Amino acid sequence: MSTNKRCLSVVAAVLVMGASAAFAAEVPASFDAKNCKAEYPKASLMNEEQGTVSMMFLIKADGSVADSKVEKSSGFKNLDKAAIKALSACKFKPGTKDGAAAETWTKVDYAWKLD
């Protein structure tokens, strides 16, 4: 009986959002995608589910996640839930407002791909 091994590749990207106010220079939070990865859900692997989930995270001034939401689903609940859960546990580099660490929203696209 042979076993097939699949290479999994997951890509995360933080998209820079524009300043939210005309007078306040705001820089969104960011994170190191190499050190913050979600585990592919077993059921999703078996069903060969793939897709990109777009999420929003509210990052506190200390870099922790205060809130999260799915903006656009990957098309698969298991993938969406796994991405939110994993990235919510990550430590972000806080965003800034007028040069000081501040609570900011940041958008993250997480791509689930089977190779």
Side-chain angles (χ1 to χ4, degrees):
M1 180 178 196
S2 70
T3 50
N4 291 332
K5 290 189 177 182
R6 293 185 180 267
C7 293
L8 306 177
S9 65
V10 180
V11 180
V14 176
L15 303 177
V16 177
M17 296 169 35
S20 63
F23 302 108
E26 183 176 313
V27 177
S30 61
F31 74 104
D32 183 0
K34 292 178 186 171
N35 294 324
C36 189
K37 294 185 179 181
E39 188 174 323
Y40 224 109
K42 289 181 183 180
S44 296
L45 277 173
M46 290 174 52
N47 294 322
E48 298 183 355
E49 297 172 350
Q50 301 181 84
T52 300
V53 56
S54 295
M55 303 162 287
M56 293 292 293
F57 291 93
L58 179 60
I59 309 302
K60 296 180 189 178
D62 68 0
S64 63
V65 176
D67 195 10
S68 62
K69 59 186 174 184
V70 173
E71 289 272 290
K72 184 176 181 226
S73 174
S74 65
F76 302 98
K77 281 187 178 184
N78 284 341
L79 296 181
D80 297 348
K81 286 180 184 179
I84 284 280
K85 182 180 177 182
L87 271 62
S88 290
C90 293
K91 185 74 170 178
F92 282 71
K93 178 182 176 191
T96 60
K97 287 183 183 173
D98 295 326
E103 189 172 82
T104 59
W105 281 96
T106 191
K107 182 176 180 178
V108 179
D109 288 340
Y110 202 87
W112 298 92
K113 294 172 89 177
L114 295 169
D115 292 334

